[in-house]
């Protein structure tokens, strides 16, 4: 019998679900004499079923267990590993279960995530790792590399969608003795974790992509600017760099060629604006992370004044695959405008939250319903927020919109870096707009008046509307101010900050109007706009709600229907939560 390999998901999502304890439980079984190999792996995407453990039988057969706890380990070892009998009721896949999650995905960026051990250079090499950079330095010219990336149609995955091959061509054309590559791993959008998963699950693929970019543009030095809040990603990157150096894959005369390349990790400064390329460069140089006017673009004058090519983590992770399989194989996926695949972090009210990688051209509805299983508790799908704080809300009526830069822009949202927050009928769109604007307002670096003060005024208006103090003229002011901030801001933060407000005003204006005119929150979220009453027919006088009310606003005798004194009620909702007769009405 072939020896089995057990892989425990130990990316951030696996660790927060208790993966380390599960790993220790398997280690204990090993010490007690069980016979198997134990490895760790990254995020396979099914974050909603962590802790995930895959067991391969050494003969192509692989079984995935979900929601594994330390208590389950003994039985898995005894029955599956020692007795060849997989435990069907704990399996996620391997016996055809939840295949819908994977069978519509195309995994190029995530090809190794959840498959190999990210701390093992050997496993990366066995999966074809560093073959692309070897091919490039031995068989290709920089121009050929750039051409291949242009054929692939790859566009930057950091949010802007600028054609990657074109950017490389521009940086190559800048004449200088010294040039740099920067990998943008700042990933600051709330709800986004695509880059973190790639860095934690397959760090060498990002290093390899950066090396190929360095060869193409003529750079010999690189930085990865990684969010300091990602300690696991930083540790995995540092380990991968030291392994690659030890093996001679990084350093001087790579694969016996004249190509030299070195990569350093720089931890981020904890500000969203530092993801903006000119602010990021300032931060690496040790200056305050503040955007500057462009041109000159980094391709002409970047880090320490030298031509610099800056790309996102996901952009780089695509590159080795493109070189090995050809630009046209990549371009075979997608639409005329948008080629290849895109990774999305699925969050919010969707049944299967986690990471998915889909071919461009798939519809939003297909991602939400076919891959992610639809809406939690089968509630009504209301909208999806794409592109984080710079993006917008796409209503369910436009759910057939395709994943394509142009199509998504037409809705008023943006592709962004890949955050998708799914909302159902219980979400208040004014509240959502307020959440995202509060984020960008707090993160504004303060350089531009419209971004600094305009967003503050917009936020005050939203606060007023959700606190029962909205005025009729507020919506016109929000529209006007939003458009002005977009035009008058220097960097992408200010230029896109009003998007969540403008897109919700466009599609959900009736909700704003209900807050202002009827003083009602239709989704029952904004508490100052809610009224609690008790249904006299349903209330059995059990006394639960008067005991929970912090302001003694509920009156009534035991076993008699109760009443709420509106002048005392502070809309805390406790009575609504405790009543088990559904007698408290929230409106
Ligand atoms: C406020 C702001 C934050 C940004 N944050 C990120 C980020 O976290 N990661 C990223 O790759 N790009 C981010 N960008 C985009 C970068 O400025 C830049 O366009 C990108 O890194 C280029 O790489 P790409 O061409 O591969 O997309 C941000 C832009 C702005 C305006
Ligand atoms: S738009 Fe906002 S974040 Fe960008 S430079 Fe101006 S003030 Fe700073
Ligand atoms: S909402 Fe809160 S304050 Fe109002 S009646 Fe119920 S428990 Fe009391
Ligand atoms: S207090 Fe009225 S039903 Fe419980």
């Amino acid at each position: 019998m072939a020896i089995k390999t057990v892989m425990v998901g130990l990316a951030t999502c696996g660790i927060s679900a208790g993966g380390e304890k599960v790993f220790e439980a398997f280690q204990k079984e090993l010490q007690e004499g069980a016979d198997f190999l134990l490895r760790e792996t990254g995020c396979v995407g099914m974050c909603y079923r962590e802790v995930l453990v895959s067991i391969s039988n050494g003969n192509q057969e692989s079984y995935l267990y979900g929601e594994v706890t330390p208590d389950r380990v003994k039985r898995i070892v005894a029955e599956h590993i020692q007795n060849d009998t997989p435990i069907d009721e704990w399996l996620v896949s391997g016996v055809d279960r939840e295949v819908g999650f994977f069978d519509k995905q195309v995994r190029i960026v995530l090809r190794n995530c959840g498959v190999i051990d990210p701390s093992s250079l050997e496993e990366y090499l066995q999966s074809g790792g560093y073959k692309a950079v070897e091919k490039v330095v031995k068989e290709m010219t920089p121009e050929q590399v750039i051409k291949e990336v242009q054929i692939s149609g790859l566009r930057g995955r950091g949010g802007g969608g600028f054609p990657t091959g074109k950017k490389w061509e521009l940086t190559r054309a800048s004449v200088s003795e010294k040039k740099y590559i920067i990998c943008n791993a700042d990933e600051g959008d709330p709800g986004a974790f695509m880059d973190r998963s790639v860095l934690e699950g397959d760090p060498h693929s990002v290093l390899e992509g950066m090396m190929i970019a360095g060869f193409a543009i003529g750079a010999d030095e690189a930085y990865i600017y990684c969010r300091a809040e990602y300690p696991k990603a930083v540790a995995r990157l540092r380990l991968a760099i030291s392994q690659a150096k030890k093996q001679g894959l990084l350093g001087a005369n790579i694969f016996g060629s004249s190509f030299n390349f070195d990569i350093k990790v720089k931890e981020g400064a904890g500000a969203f604006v530092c993801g903006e390329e000119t602010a990021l460069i300032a931060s690496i140089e040790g200056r305050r992370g503040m955007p500057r006017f462009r041109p000159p673009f980094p391709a002409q004058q970047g880090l320490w004044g030298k031509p610099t090519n800056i790309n996102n983590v996901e952009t780089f992770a695509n590159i080795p695959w493109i070189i090995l399989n050809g630009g046209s194989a990549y371009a075979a996926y997608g639409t005329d405008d948008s080629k290849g695949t895109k990774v999305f972090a699925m969050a919010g009210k969707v049944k299967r939250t986690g990471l998915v990688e889909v071919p461009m051209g798939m519809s939003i509805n297909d991602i939400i319903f076919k891959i992610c299983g639809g809406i939690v508790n089968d509630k009504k799908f209301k909208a999806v927020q794409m592109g984080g704080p710079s993006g917008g809300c796409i209503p369910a009526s436009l759910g057939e919109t395709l994943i394509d830069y142009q199509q998504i822009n037409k809705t008023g949202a943006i592709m962004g870096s890949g955050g998708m927050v799914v909302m159902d009928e219980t979400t208040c769109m004014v509240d959502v707009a307020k959440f995202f604007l509060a984020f960008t307002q707090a993160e504004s670096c303060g350089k531009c008046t419209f971004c600094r003060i305009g967003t503050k005024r917009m936020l005050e208006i939203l606060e007023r509307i959700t606190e029962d103090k909205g005025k009729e003229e507020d919506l016109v002011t929000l529209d006007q101010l939003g458009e002005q901030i977009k035009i008058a801001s220097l960097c992408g933060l200010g230029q896109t900050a009003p998007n969540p407000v403008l897109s919700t005003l466009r599609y959900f204006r009736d909700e704003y109007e209900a807050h202002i005119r009827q003083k009602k929150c239709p989704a029952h979220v904004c508490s100052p706009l809610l009224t609690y009453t008790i249904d006299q027919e349903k209330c059995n006088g059990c006394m639960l709600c008067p005991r929970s009310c912090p302001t003694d606003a509920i009156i009534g005798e035991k076993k008699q229907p109760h009443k709420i004194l509106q002048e005392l009620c502070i809309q805390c909702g406790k009575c609504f939560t405790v009543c088990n007769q559904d007698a408290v009405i929230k409106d």
Side-chain angles (χ1 to χ4, degrees), residues 23 28 65 93 97 110 112 131 135 159 165 196 208-209 222 226 241 253 281 284 318 358 380 445 474 501 513 545:
F23 193 84
K28 196 161 158 252
Y65 288 91
S93 62
R97 226 175 285 169
L110 303 178
N112 291 325
K131 285 258 181 300
K135 176 176 171 184
R196 186 192 73 204
E208 191 176 359
C226 187
I241 292 170
N253 305 113
I281 287 170
I284 295 182
N318 273 298
V358 296
K380 211 166 144 212
C445 81
D474 281 345
V501 183
E513 287 169 352
C545 70

CSV table of all heavy atoms in Angstrom, one decimal, residues 23 28 65 93 97 110 112 131 135 159 165 196 208-209 222 226 241 253 281 284 318 358 380 445 474 501 513 545:
chain,number,residue,atom,x,y,z
A,23,PHE,N,-3.2,20.1,13.1
A,23,PHE,CA,-1.9,19.7,12.6
A,23,PHE,C,-1.2,19.0,13.8
A,23,PHE,O,-0.6,17.9,13.6
A,23,PHE,CB,-1.1,20.9,12.2
A,23,PHE,CG,0.2,20.6,11.4
A,23,PHE,CD1,0.2,20.4,10.1
A,23,PHE,CD2,1.4,20.6,12.1
A,23,PHE,CE1,1.3,20.0,9.4
A,23,PHE,CE2,2.6,20.2,11.4
A,23,PHE,CZ,2.5,20.0,10.1
A,28,LYS,N,0.8,14.1,16.6
A,28,LYS,CA,0.7,13.1,17.8
A,28,LYS,C,0.5,11.7,17.3
A,28,LYS,O,1.1,10.8,17.7
A,28,LYS,CB,-0.4,13.6,18.7
A,28,LYS,CG,-0.3,13.0,20.0
A,28,LYS,CD,-1.2,13.8,21.1
A,28,LYS,CE,-1.5,12.9,22.2
A,28,LYS,NZ,-2.9,12.5,22.3
A,65,TYR,N,-11.3,16.5,3.4
A,65,TYR,CA,-12.2,16.6,4.6
A,65,TYR,C,-12.4,18.0,5.0
A,65,TYR,O,-11.5,18.8,5.0
A,65,TYR,CB,-11.6,15.9,5.8
A,65,TYR,CG,-11.5,14.4,5.6
A,65,TYR,CD1,-10.5,13.7,5.0
A,65,TYR,CD2,-12.6,13.6,6.1
A,65,TYR,CE1,-10.5,12.3,4.9
A,65,TYR,CE2,-12.6,12.2,5.9
A,65,TYR,CZ,-11.6,11.6,5.3
A,65,TYR,OH,-11.6,10.2,5.2
A,93,SER,N,-15.1,16.6,-0.8
A,93,SER,CA,-15.1,16.2,-2.2
A,93,SER,C,-14.4,14.8,-2.2
A,93,SER,O,-14.0,14.3,-1.2
A,93,SER,CB,-14.3,17.2,-3.0
A,93,SER,OG,-13.0,17.3,-2.6
A,97,ARG,N,-18.9,15.5,-3.9
A,97,ARG,CA,-19.7,16.4,-3.2
A,97,ARG,C,-19.2,17.8,-3.4
A,97,ARG,O,-18.0,18.1,-3.5
A,97,ARG,CB,-19.6,16.1,-1.7
A,97,ARG,CG,-21.0,16.1,-1.1
A,97,ARG,CD,-21.1,15.7,0.3
A,97,ARG,NE,-20.9,14.3,0.4
A,97,ARG,CZ,-20.7,13.7,1.5
A,97,ARG,NH1,-20.5,14.4,2.6
A,97,ARG,NH2,-20.6,12.4,1.6
A,110,LEU,N,-4.3,30.3,-8.9
A,110,LEU,CA,-4.4,29.5,-7.7
A,110,LEU,C,-3.9,28.0,-7.9
A,110,LEU,O,-4.3,27.1,-7.2
A,110,LEU,CB,-5.8,29.5,-7.1
A,110,LEU,CG,-6.4,30.9,-6.8
A,110,LEU,CD1,-7.8,30.8,-6.3
A,110,LEU,CD2,-5.6,31.6,-5.7
A,112,ASN,N,-1.4,26.2,-7.5
A,112,ASN,CA,-0.7,25.5,-6.5
A,112,ASN,C,-1.3,25.7,-5.1
A,112,ASN,O,-0.9,25.0,-4.2
A,112,ASN,CB,0.8,25.9,-6.5
A,112,ASN,CG,1.5,25.4,-7.7
A,112,ASN,OD1,1.2,24.3,-8.2
A,112,ASN,ND2,2.4,26.2,-8.2
A,131,LYS,N,10.6,26.7,-14.0
A,131,LYS,CA,10.8,26.3,-15.4
A,131,LYS,C,10.6,27.5,-16.4
A,131,LYS,O,11.3,27.6,-17.4
A,131,LYS,CB,9.8,25.2,-15.8
A,131,LYS,CG,10.2,23.8,-15.2
A,131,LYS,CD,10.8,22.9,-16.3
A,131,LYS,CE,11.2,21.6,-15.8
A,131,LYS,NZ,12.1,21.5,-14.7
A,135,LYS,N,13.3,29.0,-18.9
A,135,LYS,CA,13.0,29.1,-20.4
A,135,LYS,C,13.3,30.5,-20.9
A,135,LYS,O,13.9,30.7,-21.9
A,135,LYS,CB,11.5,28.8,-20.6
A,135,LYS,CG,11.1,29.0,-22.0
A,135,LYS,CD,9.6,28.5,-22.2
A,135,LYS,CE,9.2,28.9,-23.6
A,135,LYS,NZ,7.8,28.6,-23.8
A,159,GLY,N,-6.3,46.6,-9.7
A,159,GLY,CA,-7.5,47.4,-9.7
A,159,GLY,C,-7.6,48.3,-11.0
A,159,GLY,O,-8.7,48.4,-11.5
A,165,GLY,N,1.7,43.9,-20.5
A,165,GLY,CA,2.7,43.9,-21.5
A,165,GLY,C,3.1,45.3,-21.9
A,165,GLY,O,4.3,45.6,-22.1
A,196,ARG,N,-3.2,37.9,-0.3
A,196,ARG,CA,-2.7,37.2,0.9
A,196,ARG,C,-2.7,35.7,0.7
A,196,ARG,O,-1.7,35.0,1.0
A,196,ARG,CB,-3.6,37.5,2.1
A,196,ARG,CG,-3.1,36.9,3.4
A,196,ARG,CD,-4.2,37.0,4.5
A,196,ARG,NE,-5.2,36.0,4.3
A,196,ARG,CZ,-6.5,36.1,4.8
A,196,ARG,NH1,-6.8,37.2,5.5
A,196,ARG,NH2,-7.3,35.2,4.6
A,208,GLU,N,8.8,34.1,-9.0
A,208,GLU,CA,9.2,33.7,-10.4
A,208,GLU,C,8.6,34.8,-11.4
A,208,GLU,O,9.3,35.2,-12.3
A,208,GLU,CB,8.7,32.3,-10.7
A,208,GLU,CG,9.2,31.8,-12.0
A,208,GLU,CD,8.9,30.4,-12.4
A,208,GLU,OE1,8.1,29.7,-11.6
A,208,GLU,OE2,9.3,29.9,-13.4
A,209,GLY,N,7.4,35.2,-11.2
A,209,GLY,CA,6.8,36.2,-12.0
A,209,GLY,C,7.6,37.5,-12.0
A,209,GLY,O,7.8,38.2,-13.0
A,222,ALA,N,14.6,44.1,-6.8
A,222,ALA,CA,13.1,44.2,-6.6
A,222,ALA,C,12.7,44.3,-5.2
A,222,ALA,O,13.4,43.8,-4.3
A,222,ALA,CB,12.5,42.9,-7.3
A,226,CYS,N,4.7,44.5,1.2
A,226,CYS,CA,3.7,43.6,1.8
A,226,CYS,C,3.1,44.2,3.0
A,226,CYS,O,3.8,44.7,3.9
A,226,CYS,CB,4.2,42.2,2.1
A,226,CYS,SG,3.0,41.0,2.5
A,241,ILE,N,12.3,33.4,-0.4
A,241,ILE,CA,13.5,34.2,-1.0
A,241,ILE,C,14.8,33.5,-0.5
A,241,ILE,O,15.7,33.3,-1.3
A,241,ILE,CB,13.4,35.7,-0.5
A,241,ILE,CG1,12.2,36.4,-1.2
A,241,ILE,CG2,14.7,36.4,-0.9
A,241,ILE,CD1,11.9,37.8,-0.7
A,253,ASN,N,24.0,35.5,-12.0
A,253,ASN,CA,24.1,34.5,-13.1
A,253,ASN,C,23.1,33.4,-13.0
A,253,ASN,O,23.4,32.2,-12.9
A,253,ASN,CB,25.5,33.9,-13.1
A,253,ASN,CG,26.5,35.0,-13.3
A,253,ASN,OD1,27.3,35.2,-12.3
A,253,ASN,ND2,26.5,35.7,-14.4
A,281,ILE,N,6.0,53.9,-3.4
A,281,ILE,CA,7.4,54.2,-3.7
A,281,ILE,C,8.0,55.1,-2.6
A,281,ILE,O,9.0,54.9,-2.1
A,281,ILE,CB,7.5,54.7,-5.1
A,281,ILE,CG1,7.3,53.6,-6.1
A,281,ILE,CG2,8.9,55.4,-5.3
A,281,ILE,CD1,7.2,54.0,-7.6
A,284,ILE,N,8.6,53.2,0.5
A,284,ILE,CA,9.8,52.3,0.5
A,284,ILE,C,11.1,53.2,0.7
A,284,ILE,O,12.0,52.8,1.3
A,284,ILE,CB,10.0,51.6,-0.9
A,284,ILE,CG1,8.8,50.6,-1.0
A,284,ILE,CG2,11.3,50.8,-1.0
A,284,ILE,CD1,8.9,49.7,-2.3
A,318,ASN,N,0.4,35.1,-12.5
A,318,ASN,CA,-0.1,34.6,-13.8
A,318,ASN,C,1.1,34.4,-14.7
A,318,ASN,O,1.0,33.6,-15.6
A,318,ASN,CB,-1.0,35.7,-14.5
A,318,ASN,CG,-2.4,35.6,-14.1
A,318,ASN,OD1,-3.1,34.6,-14.4
A,318,ASN,ND2,-2.9,36.6,-13.5
A,358,VAL,N,-12.2,32.5,-11.6
A,358,VAL,CA,-13.1,32.2,-12.7
A,358,VAL,C,-12.5,32.7,-14.0
A,358,VAL,O,-11.8,33.7,-14.0
A,358,VAL,CB,-14.5,32.8,-12.5
A,358,VAL,CG1,-15.1,32.1,-11.3
A,358,VAL,CG2,-14.4,34.3,-12.4
A,380,LYS,N,-33.4,36.8,-0.6
A,380,LYS,CA,-33.3,37.4,-1.9
A,380,LYS,C,-32.0,38.1,-2.1
A,380,LYS,O,-31.6,38.9,-1.3
A,380,LYS,CB,-34.5,38.4,-2.0
A,380,LYS,CG,-35.0,38.5,-3.4
A,380,LYS,CD,-36.3,39.2,-3.4
A,380,LYS,CE,-36.4,40.0,-4.7
A,380,LYS,NZ,-37.1,41.3,-4.6
A,445,CYS,N,-5.2,60.8,2.5
A,445,CYS,CA,-3.9,61.3,3.1
A,445,CYS,C,-4.0,62.8,3.4
A,445,CYS,O,-3.1,63.3,4.0
A,445,CYS,CB,-2.8,61.0,2.1
A,445,CYS,SG,-2.6,62.2,0.8
A,474,ASP,N,-30.5,66.9,0.5
A,474,ASP,CA,-29.2,66.1,0.7
A,474,ASP,C,-28.8,65.2,-0.5
A,474,ASP,O,-27.6,65.1,-0.8
A,474,ASP,CB,-29.4,65.1,1.9
A,474,ASP,CG,-29.3,65.8,3.2
A,474,ASP,OD1,-28.8,67.0,3.2
A,474,ASP,OD2,-29.7,65.3,4.2
A,501,VAL,N,-21.3,55.7,-3.0
A,501,VAL,CA,-22.4,56.5,-2.8
A,501,VAL,C,-23.2,56.7,-4.1
A,501,VAL,O,-24.4,56.6,-4.2
A,501,VAL,CB,-22.0,57.9,-2.2
A,501,VAL,CG1,-23.2,58.7,-1.9
A,501,VAL,CG2,-21.2,57.7,-0.9
A,513,GLU,N,-34.6,57.9,-0.4
A,513,GLU,CA,-35.8,58.7,-0.2
A,513,GLU,C,-36.7,58.2,0.9
A,513,GLU,O,-37.3,59.0,1.7
A,513,GLU,CB,-36.6,58.7,-1.6
A,513,GLU,CG,-35.9,59.5,-2.6
A,513,GLU,CD,-36.5,59.3,-4.0
A,513,GLU,OE1,-37.4,58.4,-4.2
A,513,GLU,OE2,-36.1,60.1,-4.9
A,545,CYS,N,-39.5,40.3,27.5
A,545,CYS,CA,-39.0,41.6,26.9
A,545,CYS,C,-38.9,42.7,28.0
A,545,CYS,O,-37.9,43.5,27.9
A,545,CYS,CB,-39.7,42.0,25.7
A,545,CYS,SG,-41.4,42.4,25.9
